[in-house]
Amino acid sequence: MNTTAAVPVMDKLVIYQIFTRLFGNQNTTNRPWGSRDENGVGKFDDISDAALRELRLFGVSHVWYTGVIEHATQTDYSAYGIQPDDPAVVKGRAGSPYAIKDYYDVNPDLATNVEHRMAEFDTLLQRTHAHSLKVLIDFIPNHVARQYKSDAKPAGVVDLGEQDDTSVAFAPTNNFYYLPGKTFISPESQSVQARLPLDQETKSEGASRSRALTEYPAKVTGSGSITEAPSINDWYETIKLNYGIDIFDGGRAHFNPIPATWQQMLDILLFWADKGVDGFRCDMAHLIPIEFWQWAISLVKKQYPQLIFIAEIYEPGLYRSFIFKGGFDYLYDKVGLYDAVRRLMEGHGTCYDITRVWQQESGDYADHMLRFLENHDEQRIASRFFAGNPWAAVPGMTLSATLHTGPLMLYFGQEIGVRAEGSEGFSGDDGRSTIFDYWGLPEWQGWLNNGRFDGGGLTDEQRRLRSFYQRLNHLVNGSDAIQNGYFYDLQYANDNGQSPNYDAHRLYSYLRYTNRQKLLIVCNFAQDITYETTIRIPKHAFSMMNLAPGHTYQFTDIFLTGTQIETVGSTGVSLTLAPWSAMVFEIK
């Protein structure tokens, strides 16, 4: 019932995800389907020294800037030499940051001076590093925008699709998959809806028609849908990249010689690494052959050994191979810990699932699992679609941060209870902060405080919530046991009536320990139940910690309450656990 997982070779990261377009936007007009000029947009320059200084004080080690690379948009930047996009293949007015339009450029929306957009990103990179923060960006390897065209590629770089043989469905030398003889048809309902806001503002019908996309032959959609007419619910705005897998022939691999796409993607990774980016969050990594990752990551790390790779991955059966063969440093722990903790926060899960995750899924490589409760894909904790209350995060976030030695991630606004209510445009009323539309987050404005980033406009409750997250980050940063320690699950010693009033469905207890520090951590996921119970620590656990069960120890909550309990180890720790609470006892 315990694991002695190896001590990690890297520090425990605290990653803070910033959706760059939303982060610094002080405009609160928030007109559904509003344009950039109506609703405003955050800029690289908005992420100021003040903002970065506060993030460092908050306890962050890495900042993930989401939406940096240029993507398709309905905003017209043709005056700057950027090819316009047909609104029929752009989701939202701002567009999806995962419909990449030029791997070698940055999103012009984020620039104060569009002509100097890359220089502004470079300055942000330098500014972030000056505050002892490392920078992560997205690498989107599976698909690109329908109208991908690099205007900024270095001299000598062959653009994606430029040398493709479009007369065949598949060739290892092609970048895309084709449907010869067929013309792409965008989802009709979306075509109408997407054009309306733009058509109303264009000076002539011709201005709108000049953006029209004619894709012949049709390309296979980013999700892998082999049809010239993808549905409204498909990734219809993107096209899938070809890594030498023949999807028309049962997925047969053609990896020798190295497919063209492999080398082009490696060049893109090295381009951003050369700029000083410290790591990549790799979008939908499990849709790319593991052989590519093994090849590319090893080559990148030969030049940049400290650069980290994080995989967005939703196939637990692939976890082990993507770490130990593919070379990833960290994987999303979404299908596993996030799902288990979310069910508990919503009131219908069980703590037995947490034990199952480490026992049956990732316990022996837990130091490689990235834990989180929010990101741009997931619903906000405070929304009615999730827990409906930001304080439900206290036990779940504490557990996610302290269960093992792997990294922790927070999404901007999570710490002040952003709810993401209402429909912004393409993004409906779904409990997520929009990634498709121009928008300003109402609750976030209190922390922004007209660009001061000092929280001057927050409510008292928001301040208390942010204080919880800050104390959690500092606990993680300051604890040898959490950063480097072994893990011991105490459920088996307390459930089934062994400890009075111990509800193993709602309470979870465990030890984290090194030679220098021993911690007992207890979480109560119940929304409205206070438990008075005794946490029993078995003799085997004392032996693992090199402690004598017959000695008297001081248990002090070093996290939130300061509670002190003195007890003989073998008799257990009697305590009161409030609803939605967590206690972290140091044992001395």
Side-chain angles (χ1 to χ4, degrees), residues 49-118:
D49 284 307
L52 294 166
R53 185 164 47 248
E54 288 301 324
L55 285 177
R56 189 63 185 163
L57 291 171
F58 190 50
V60 171
S61 64
H62 291 63
V63 182
W64 166 19
Y65 292 123
T66 306
V68 164
I69 299 178
E70 184 187 338
H71 60 78
T73 178
Q74 291 193 35
T75 302
D76 190 344
Y77 286 103
S78 57
Y80 301 93
I82 298 173
Q83 172 182 286
D85 299 291
D86 184 346
V89 287
V90 179
K91 290 181 176 178
R93 296 298 295 276
S96 167
Y98 296 97
I100 296 300
K101 183 169 155 183
D102 187 346
Y103 279 117
Y104 289 101
D105 207 348
V106 296
N107 179 5
D109 272 345
L110 305 178
T112 303
N113 184 329
V114 175
E115 291 181 343
H116 298 154
R117 57 192 179 276
M118 186 61 83

Side-chain angles (χ1 to χ4, degrees), residues 327-474:
F328 278 96
D329 298 289
Y330 305 110
L331 312 180
Y332 267 37
D333 199 346
K334 163 65 171 71
V335 182
L337 194 68
Y338 170 91
D339 286 346
V341 171
R342 174 163 181 159
R343 288 191 295 270
L344 280 163
M345 291 168 63
E346 292 176 329
H348 55 82
T350 173
C351 289
Y352 286 106
D353 285 342
I354 299 169
T355 298
R356 181 196 57 77
V357 167
W358 74 258
Q359 279 188 340
Q360 301 177 23
E361 193 172 288
S362 58
D364 61 338
Y365 49 85
D367 51 319
H368 293 281
M369 302 307 292
L370 171 65
R371 271 67 190 259
F372 57 87
L373 291 181
E374 282 192 4
N375 62 38
H376 67 281
D377 284 319
E378 308 302 338
Q379 291 165 324
R380 294 286 192 170
I381 295 165
S383 78
R384 70 182 189 279
F385 298 92
F386 192 163
N389 188 323
W391 292 101
V394 170
M397 206 66 221
T398 303
L399 181 134
S400 298
T402 65
L403 189 67
H404 292 118
T405 55
L408 164 70
M409 185 169 75
L410 304 170
Y411 189 34
F412 91 101
Q414 177 180 348
E415 72 273 28
I416 52 107
V418 167
R419 296 180 184 277
E421 293 179 336
S423 176
E424 301 96 341
F426 183 87
S427 187
D429 184 10
D430 59 3
R432 297 176 179 88
S433 295
T434 178
I435 67 170
F436 305 108
D437 308 286
Y438 296 111
W439 206 253
L441 303 186
E443 303 98 330
W444 184 241
Q445 301 303 321
W447 175 255
L448 246 176
N449 195 22
N450 298 313
R452 297 183 184 90
F453 291 95
D454 60 3
L458 295 180
T459 66
D460 288 343
E461 183 177 12
Q462 288 174 318
R463 291 176 190 276
R464 288 194 300 272
L465 184 67
R466 191 176 189 277
S467 176
F468 157 72
Y469 280 98
Q470 184 165 20
R471 293 173 75 172
L472 179 62
N473 291 343
H474 286 209

Side-chain angles (χ1 to χ4, degrees), residues 290-311:
I290 194 170
E291 292 84 356
F292 165 77
W293 293 120
Q294 183 179 30
W295 177 82
I297 291 175
S298 64
L299 289 174
V300 172
K301 289 201 172 194
K302 280 184 180 178
Q303 295 187 46
Y304 302 96
Q306 300 305 313
L307 196 141
I308 66 172
F309 283 83
I310 300 171

Side-chain angles (χ1 to χ4, degrees), residues 210-224:
S210 68
R211 298 177 173 214
L213 164 68
T214 300
E215 183 180 296
Y216 180 87
K219 301 182 183 75
V220 170
T221 296
S223 57

Side-chain angles (χ1 to χ4, degrees), residues 485-521:
Y486 297 113
F487 162 82
Y488 196 107
D489 191 322
L490 293 174
Q491 295 297 88
Y492 83 99
N494 289 278
D495 67 356
N496 297 321
Q498 297 176 85
S499 297
N501 299 321
Y502 191 92
D503 180 357
H505 291 287
R506 295 290 174 268
L507 301 180
Y508 193 76
S509 57
Y510 52 103
L511 301 167
R512 294 295 312 281
Y513 60 95
T514 63
N515 290 334
R516 292 192 291 173
Q517 187 182 42
K518 280 79 175 161
L519 299 178
L520 165 65
I521 303 173

Side-chain angles (χ1 to χ4, degrees), residues 508-566:
Y508 193 76
S509 57
Y510 52 103
L511 301 167
R512 294 295 312 281
Y513 60 95
T514 63
N515 290 334
R516 292 192 291 173
Q517 187 182 42
K518 280 79 175 161
L519 299 178
L520 165 65
I521 303 173
V522 190
C523 299
N524 177 11
F525 286 92
Q527 178 180 351
D528 51 12
I529 303 174
T530 297
Y531 290 98
E532 294 186 5
T533 187
T534 299
I535 308 299
R536 301 193 183 279
I537 303 173
K539 290 182 179 180
H540 181 257
F542 277 105
S543 175
M544 297 296 294
M545 294 189 291
N546 294 316
L547 299 178
H551 286 187
T552 298
Y553 296 97
Q554 187 88 12
F555 290 76
T556 303
D557 182 5
I558 59 172
F559 184 26
L560 297 174
T561 69
T563 300
Q564 292 187 336
I565 301 169
E566 189 173 280

